[in-house]
Amino acid sequence: MIAIDPEAAGGPDVLVPVERPVPRPGQGEVLIRVKAAGVNRPDVLQRKGHYPPPPGAPSILGLEIAGTVVAVGEGADASMLAQPVCALVAGGGYAEYCVAPAGQCLPVPPAISMIEAAALPETVFTVWSNLFERAYAMEGDAVLVHGGTSGIGTTAILLGKLFDLTVIVTCGSDEKCARATELGVDHAINYKTQDFVEEVKRIAGGKGVQAVLDMVGGDYVARNLACLADDGRHVTIAVQGGVKAEINLVEVMRRRLTLTGSTLRARDVTFKALVADELRRNVWPHVAEGRLRPVIDSVFPLAEAAKAHARMDGGDHVGKIVLEIA
């Protein structure tokens, strides 16, 4: 099969098509003929040599796919054969075939395309497990999400609308703020021209938000805590701005704040299957009815994975970048 499996770390130019053996599904796994694969920030980090795949995962890039099940391993449900699915995987997505744990597969309903389906798993699993589970966001809550036009940000906006959250996002330009507004966000803040702490306080009537979903880390953490209401929850899912933060612990105690975080890729199959089951029950009905569709920025053929990564590196994208596989 053709795959993107760089032999060395580097820029987008290391992403060239190569031949690799078609994988075989193991216990509880299925083999998927891939039609599309989502491009995500962890793929970029792996390409640069900063995020090696977890033990047992393939070195081929790609954390989310959509396609058709063509083989099932021992213990997997044989009725999945020939079914269209999308799946969260620990690696291997940038290829014509990919193995996925059966429990991490979700059906692709007629309401969405394979391109759209491939853009869902990574961000929906991430936002659901962190904003709705770890941060306990519930109907009526106000939440702050950084990177409002990223894949995570646009997914948070869409899920927030479906589950009656007031969503506030930060973006790096007026144009991106306008795009987030078009997607239905309640408030968009240009962090380059506005103090997002002051803006959040103004929007929230001085009370703050119930949750922050943070992909920045670094000196944003203390500023995020200042945005939280009493008993607020701060969830870190990436550290693009730095791995260390200085915070006032007295404020944490006085206002009963919760600081937590998670990574998804290294979690075990059991946990991811549990998240998939929650998505199947709570989110997938909206997908099946066409009420939840990912925001697609651009689509590139697999052979042009380098161009897809260059697009992500440039930072101008809004929503998801997807690779299409013939």
Side-chain angles (χ1 to χ4, degrees):
M1 68 177 184
I2 300 300
I4 304 296
D5 187 14
E7 295 182 358
D13 57 291
V14 303
L15 303 180
V16 296
V18 295
E19 287 191 357
R20 291 291 184 265
V22 174
R24 295 182 177 181
Q27 177 73 30
E29 295 179 332
V30 298
L31 178 65
I32 298 169
R33 173 67 170 93
V34 181
K35 298 300 292 183
V39 176
N40 294 282
R41 186 66 60 181
D43 303 340
V44 173
L45 294 176
Q46 181 175 334
R47 186 201 79 215
K48 293 179 177 180
H50 303 321
Y51 191 30
S59 57
I60 296 168
L61 275 65
L63 302 178
E64 59 183 349
I65 57 173
T68 303
V69 176
V70 294
V72 297
E74 185 177 350
D77 187 351
S79 68
M80 294 181 69
L81 270 174
Q83 295 301 307
V85 298
C86 59
L88 181 73
V89 294
Y94 292 14
E96 292 178 318
Y97 292 89
C98 182
V99 163
Q104 292 168 211
C105 295
L106 290 161
V108 176
I112 62 171
S113 67
M114 284 290 186
I115 295 291
E116 291 171 314
L120 283 172
E122 174 68 15
T123 54
V124 173
F125 271 74
T126 298
V127 173
W128 184 263
S129 62
N130 286 287
L131 186 59
F132 291 88
E133 292 183 340
R134 194 162 289 276
Y136 306 109
M138 61 185 69
E139 180 179 345
D141 279 354
V143 302
L144 171 64
V145 179
H146 293 296
T149 54
S150 67
I152 293 290
T154 54
T155 299
I157 292 171
L158 298 176
L159 286 176
K161 288 172 61 180
L162 289 173
F163 291 93
D164 297 318
L165 306 180
T166 296
V167 181
I168 306 168
V169 300
T170 62
C171 304
S173 69
D174 289 341
E175 292 77 14
K176 286 191 173 184
C177 285
R179 187 73 178 96
T181 301
E182 290 174 7
L183 295 174
V185 77
D186 296 284
H187 305 277
I189 301 167
N190 184 341
Y191 66 83
K192 291 185 178 179
T193 60
Q194 299 171 287
D195 183 334
F196 74 78
V197 177
E198 293 304 316
E199 285 298 304
V200 168
K201 288 180 178 179
R202 179 187 64 80
I203 292 166
K207 296 180 180 179
V209 297
Q210 281 68 48
V212 175
L213 186 63
D214 181 44
M215 297 176 279
V216 183
D219 61 7
Y220 262 45
V221 176
R223 299 173 69 192
N224 291 337
L225 297 187
C227 294
L228 283 173
D230 291 353
D231 298 295
R233 289 84 64 189
H234 181 284
V235 183
T236 298
I237 60 170
V239 287
Q240 296 176 24
V243 299
K244 295 183 179 181
E246 184 173 327
I247 62 172
N248 185 338
L249 290 175
V250 173
E251 282 298 292
V252 174
M253 294 186 295
R254 185 179 68 83
R255 299 201 290 122
R256 303 172 303 281
L257 305 180
T258 298
L259 279 73
T260 184
S262 75
T263 59
L264 181 60
R265 189 180 187 184
R267 296 297 297 270
D268 61 33
V269 172
T270 300
F271 171 80
K272 294 175 184 176
L274 287 172
V275 176
D277 186 58
E278 291 195 5
L279 292 174
R280 188 177 291 106
R281 289 183 285 109
N282 296 293
V283 176
W284 235 243
H286 297 288
V287 177
E289 294 296 325
R291 293 188 296 269
L292 177 60
R293 311 177 78 102
V295 178
I296 304 297
D297 174 85
S298 49
V299 180
F300 296 85
L302 180 64
E304 296 181 8
K307 291 183 179 179
H309 274 232
R311 173 72 178 163
M312 179 162 280
D313 284 351
D316 294 327
H317 63 288
V318 175
K320 296 299 295 283
I321 301 168
V322 179
L323 298 175
E324 187 171 22
I325 300 162

